[in-house]
Amino acid sequence: MPNPLHEKSNGRLVLTVPLIIFMGDVSGNVSKQWNKHHVVYMSNASMLHEMLEKEFCVRFVSSSLHTSPMEIIKASICHVDVSIRAAADEGIVAYDCKYRDEVMLIPYDLFEAGDNPMQAEECSHGGLHCNYFCRTRKVGETISMKQSDEGYLKLFEIGELHRPEETIQQILEQIELSKLSGGTTKVQNAVSSTGTRDTTSASIVNHLLELGNMTGLNVHQDTPTEILHTILLGVVKYFWGQTIWILDKAHLIKIFQTRLDNINKDGLNSPTLGTEYICWYSGSLIGKHFKSLAQLMPFLIYDLVPSTVLNGWTVIGQLVVLLWHTRIDDVEEYLVCYLPRP
């Protein structure tokens, strides 16, 4: 019995096309520094990394200056999902320039991308200031518990996964709390203790709750961790702040700047580091600065800081190299398989 796809494609080669749907808040007004609006884009995840960065490989889906992220992603995903399902059912016949023959394309939604603040909002999560600060798993405790030895160690344990059903229930409970006397304080306490926060007005909350009924989407697990905010603007940024404070206190900034200005930068894929800017405006750096510094710091501060700080930068450098892979040479070696225990 022939494979249904073989029959549908009429003998053509069948290729799947994984699609990434991305939403972010951006500025669209060149006369102002920030005129916030939300935009949804889509890209083909099967393309090479260097091609994905090209503007012509990113497709516009929708944009709004007034619609909240939850509303726009709900409308966009539903519309795109219908289109993707229709295309997957029928298949798209196209000419493949590599094989020089017609092929049939079957698209599917791979995941929903975005930076950490946006994905937290999509998950109805309150962010890092909550007791449970992770949008994916239940990690955290009260402030006093996290400051204790036992609570600190628990932060490194794998917590239970968030489930959309629980998130919906917590939003409904917060709506009920808002109707009570002192409702604002009660809702704030609920957000802090659970990590769940609904950013949209109560008048349309029922429409937002429909997000949990979307087939095939678990918003807590289908929003991959975004490493710019997690690593470069998180761990690296704050470790850099402590390191530059040590160098400044010991009057070693000039030595550091001289070394940074003269180090070989050929392997950094960065035309210039802006050494003077990095040293003078150390508190205003962005992701590209931290990405380069994470790779260079051990060679610059090996005799300027305590060994514990040097070891920290060495570990950070190793971590950054592992995270910023743009190509996988051996997929079998790269993949980690979770096999059920007997």
Side-chain angles (χ1 to χ4, degrees), residues 4 10 20 61 80 112 134 142 177 181 201 219 230 276 282 312 318 339:
N10 197 23
I20 301 173
V61 176
V80 171
E112 325 306 325
C134 180
T142 61
L177 288 174
S181 176
S201 62
V219 74
T230 305
E276 187 174 350
S282 58
Q318 294 171 340
L339 299 178

Side-chain angles (χ1 to χ4, degrees), residues 60-72:
F60 173 82
V61 176
S62 62
S63 175
S64 176
L65 187 63
H66 307 289
T67 308
S68 69
M70 289 292 283
E71 291 176 297
I72 195 171

Side-chain angles (χ1 to χ4, degrees), residues 122-137:
E122 290 174 11
C123 294
S124 295
H125 189 264
L128 295 177
H129 297 293
C130 300
N131 289 339
Y132 291 88
F133 49 81
C134 180
R135 70 170 185 271
T136 305
R137 292 182 178 271

Side-chain angles (χ1 to χ4, degrees), residues 297-310:
M297 287 299 285
F299 306 103
L300 304 173
I301 60 171
Y302 57 90
D303 59 348
L304 304 180
V305 297
S307 59
T308 51
V309 177
L310 178 60

Side-chain angles (χ1 to χ4, degrees), residues 156-229:
F156 298 92
E157 297 177 1
I158 299 177
E160 179 186 351
L161 286 169
H162 284 298
R163 295 187 298 113
E165 298 81 7
E166 293 180 352
T167 302
I168 292 172
Q169 185 59 38
Q170 289 165 358
I171 293 174
L172 290 172
E173 290 173 1
Q174 290 178 18
I175 295 172
E176 293 302 317
L177 288 174
S178 67
K179 302 176 183 178
L180 304 177
S181 176
T184 301
T185 302
K186 289 182 172 65
V187 170
Q188 289 175 347
N189 292 336
V191 170
S192 178
S193 61
T194 64
T196 300
R197 181 182 65 183
D198 175 33
T199 59
T200 315
S201 62
S203 62
I204 58 172
V205 72
N206 289 330
H207 295 289
L208 301 179
L209 298 180
E210 293 177 6
L211 183 64
N213 297 323
M214 292 177 59
T215 304
L217 176 67
N218 183 326
V219 74
H220 295 294
Q221 297 183 46
D222 294 337
T223 51
T225 300
E226 181 260 320
I227 54 181
L228 170 63
H229 285 75

Side-chain angles (χ1 to χ4, degrees), residues 95-156:
Y95 181 80
D96 193 300
C97 59
K98 178 180 178 180
Y99 299 111
R100 297 184 178 182
D101 200 358
E102 285 189 344
V103 297
M104 174 169 281
L105 306 178
I106 306 294
Y108 67 95
D109 182 9
L110 183 61
F111 58 76
E112 325 306 325
D115 61 22
N116 278 349
M118 179 56 65
Q119 290 187 333
E121 192 163 349
E122 290 174 11
C123 294
S124 295
H125 189 264
L128 295 177
H129 297 293
C130 300
N131 289 339
Y132 291 88
F133 49 81
C134 180
R135 70 170 185 271
T136 305
R137 292 182 178 271
K138 298 176 183 177
V139 179
E141 277 288 350
T142 61
I143 294 178
S144 58
M145 184 63 177
K146 285 185 284 190
Q147 291 176 343
S148 66
D149 292 340
E150 179 187 356
Y152 180 74
L153 292 176
K154 285 188 66 177
L155 296 179
F156 298 92

